[in-house]
Amino acid sequence: MAKMIIAFIKKILFNLILTFMKKVVLALSLFMFSTIIFAKDIKINVSNLPTEVTTFVKKHYPSAKIKKVTQESDDKDYNLKLSDGTELEFGKSGNLIEVKTKTSIPTNVLPQGIANYVKFNCPGKTVRSFEHSKLGYDIKLSNGKKFQLNNNFAPTSFKEE
């Protein structure tokens, strides 16, 4: 009889521990998932931007003011919104990564290889956005056409990781 009671208590304890462990694993999973999903960009002051970024904006967008600056929580890139609607993204060291506008990107802002490619292959069109990654450039033109160039400015097709 005592052996049956001990076996019964062991079974109850085992089930309690198993239930507790399931709840702990579930709670940890939910916590990790929520931090990934709800990671927010951090608002920062213009005065905290790298000098390269503010110099770039003053030089290439002299009539525009920086309206909003955020820093991405994951890779620490800077996202800027200008008063003329232009959106810029810079790497944490101040290198230009992305430009989006509703009008056209000034030619002196574009990498020379993109400007040359568009001039010779898409006459009369302007660039509305470009984004640089380690694989090359994603480009969108004023007529809505999208294409990609590798880092040597040759046409290509790639998928982001």
Side-chain angles (χ1 to χ4, degrees), residues 3 7-8 11 15 21 25 29 31 41 47 58 69 87 98 102 104-105 118 132 148 153-155 161:
K3 286 184 182 181
F8 180 71
K11 187 175 182 179
N15 284 336
M21 293 301 291
V25 168
S29 298
F31 174 74
D41 292 347
S47 60
K58 287 176 187 174
V69 181
E87 296 177 25
E98 182 176 9
K102 292 183 171 125
S104 63
I105 298 172
V118 170
H132 185 233
Q148 296 176 320
F153 305 104
E161 298 173 359

Side-chain angles (χ1 to χ4, degrees), residues 65-140:
K65 302 289 182 225
I66 300 173
K67 287 177 53 177
K68 182 179 176 183
V69 181
T70 58
Q71 188 172 25
E72 296 175 7
S73 56
D74 57 351
D75 58 11
K76 305 299 182 198
D77 288 350
Y78 297 99
N79 294 301
L80 284 67
K81 182 138 187 165
L82 305 183
S83 58
D84 67 358
T86 300
E87 296 177 25
L88 305 168
E89 182 177 346
F90 293 88
K92 60 185 171 188
S93 61
N95 55 310
L96 182 64
I97 296 172
E98 182 176 9
V99 180
K100 291 181 185 177
T101 183
K102 292 183 171 125
T103 55
S104 63
I105 298 172
T107 308
N108 61 352
V109 171
L110 293 171
Q112 192 59 50
I114 294 175
N116 291 341
Y117 183 88
V118 170
K119 179 180 177 182
F120 294 112
N121 295 288
C122 310
K125 306 298 182 267
T126 58
V127 177
R128 292 269 172 95
S129 70
F130 79 86
E131 180 177 7
H132 185 233
S133 70
K134 65 182 179 182
L135 300 174
Y137 296 87
D138 281 308
I139 300 154
K140 184 176 179 184

Side-chain angles (χ1 to χ4, degrees), residues 140-153:
K140 184 176 179 184
L141 299 178
S142 54
N143 64 352
K145 179 182 176 184
K146 296 178 183 179
F147 61 95
Q148 296 176 320
L149 299 176
N150 65 23
N151 287 313
N152 294 318
F153 305 104

